[in-house]
Amino acid sequence: MKDKLALIGFEWAGTQLRAWAFDGDGEILSSFHTREEPVAGHRDWPGRLRFHLAEWLGVSPEVPVIGCGDVSASLAGDGNGSLSTPVPLAHLASHLGLQAGIHLVPWIGQLSPPDLTCGAETILFGLEEANGSICIAGHHTRHGVIEHGRLLEFSTEITAELRDLLLSHGTLALNEASAQAFDMKVFKDWIERALDTDDSPPVFSVEAAIRQGSLSAGNKAAALAGLMIGADVAAHYDPGDEVLLVADGPLLEAYGFALDALGADVEETSAVEALQDGLFEIADLAGLLGED
């Protein structure tokens, strides 16, 4: 692998650090994934990153390293975090930050309403020539619009994070006696309720339904997820809209069902693959891979 290695790409977001080793054609030679403290908790995050890379590869990488995610928060205010919508995504390559020899993809900002891509810009770049409405479903879900390579607008919804918070604190919090069993029928039923914007139930309806006996306590998490994902989709799309859904695993299925139930025309692609492609293609455009 050492002879073919041309680039290391990584994402450090929350407690998740993952990285990929690329050859000169963008093929992935190896990958790495670990749990770490959030990057803000490390005074010397580049040193911590290099430690993990050396443990993974066996030696410190002698090729360019490019990353995105929470690590790029440090670029704000130094001239590299100044990209704002509407903006050509190609500008990301000319605004890379450089810290301790590590290249960082800058976030894109939005002033009205205030928002930040926080790593989603790299996924968007990796979607090749995508046009129209984009839904990147994750811990934070981004809804955006791209036209001719320009990001026109976007909106960040912390739907999955809010669901987790509601289930761990407050009125809707799960207790030790409420073991959860995911029920797809319940999940889809609450999605469909949320999509009815004329009569969409509030979040407390889940708790009320349990207390009234029409919903099993063991299905609270499924109902709440359906309600919140359905409301998220209904707030951003209309029947007949063409939407590119960018996600993986359960979120791909969940948002895919919600968009289908709404009546949107949905195309699906992998968020992880778009992230990988984005890191490599930004590095290539920025000249980190040398001359062809």
Side-chain angles (χ1 to χ4, degrees):
M1 183 180 80
K2 183 178 179 181
D3 294 338
K4 296 182 178 180
L5 184 62
L7 178 76
I8 298 295
F10 75 93
E11 180 198 45
W12 194 337
T15 60
Q16 178 172 261
L17 172 60
R18 49 187 177 174
W20 301 273
F22 297 94
D23 69 12
D25 296 321
E27 296 297 321
I28 295 174
L29 303 171
S30 179
S31 62
F32 165 80
H33 185 193
T34 191
R35 306 285 290 184
E36 249 293 0
E37 291 181 15
V39 66
H42 290 290
R43 291 184 179 180
D44 179 27
W45 68 260
R48 189 63 182 165
L49 172 67
R50 290 191 181 281
F51 166 79
H52 283 298
L53 295 183
E55 286 283 298
W56 165 38
L57 298 170
V59 295
S60 295
E62 298 179 358
V63 297
V65 177
I66 184 171
C68 65
D70 295 346
V71 288
S72 297
S74 58
L75 299 180
D78 70 356
N80 289 299
S82 59
L83 293 176
S84 287
T85 55
V87 61
L89 290 169
H91 284 190
L92 291 168
S94 59
H95 284 73
L96 292 182
L98 183 64
Q99 295 192 356
I102 298 168
H103 301 275
L104 299 177
V105 181
W107 295 349
I108 295 173
Q110 181 173 269
L111 297 179
S112 182
D115 213 329
L116 291 164
T117 52
C118 302
E121 72 292 321
T122 306
I123 293 176
L124 291 170
F125 194 95
L127 293 175
E128 298 180 352
E129 298 182 4
N131 273 291
S133 297
I134 314 290
C135 174
I136 304 174
H139 188 58
H140 291 177
T141 294
R142 267 91 185 188
H143 306 276
V145 178
I146 295 177
E147 286 188 5
H148 307 296
R150 294 170 62 87
L151 177 61
L152 302 185
E153 61 183 75
F154 65 97
S155 173
T156 301
E157 304 291 346
I158 59 173
T159 305
E161 184 175 12
L162 282 176
R163 170 187 170 274
D164 292 345
L165 288 170
L166 287 169
L167 291 174
S168 59
H169 300 284
T171 302
L172 274 70
L174 299 174
N175 55 50
E176 294 180 359
S178 56
Q180 297 297 293
F182 186 80
D183 187 308
M184 182 59 73
K185 183 177 183 302
V186 169
F187 175 72
K188 291 181 175 180
D189 175 54
W190 283 83
I191 280 182
E192 291 170 346
R193 294 187 191 196
L195 292 175
D196 181 2
T197 55
D198 292 330
D199 193 26
S200 180
V203 168
F204 184 71
S205 290
V206 173
E207 182 68 19
I210 292 172
R211 298 190 183 193
Q212 293 171 344
S214 59
L215 176 67
S216 167
N219 294 146
K220 179 188 285 189
L224 186 60
L227 177 61
M228 297 185 72
I229 289 173
D232 187 6
V233 166
H236 291 90
Y237 308 104
D238 294 310
D241 283 355
E242 295 183 355
V243 182
L244 176 59
L245 173 59
V246 188
D248 296 288
L251 283 174
L252 179 66
E253 183 177 3
Y255 273 83
F257 175 82
L259 286 162
D260 283 338
L262 178 70
D265 183 2
V266 187
E267 181 181 349
E268 299 177 349
T269 193
S270 166
V272 172
E273 291 178 7
L275 175 64
Q276 295 164 350
D277 290 344
L279 285 168
F280 182 83
E281 290 167 9
I282 291 171
D284 191 18
L285 186 61
L288 301 187
L289 301 176
E291 298 294 332
D292 292 334

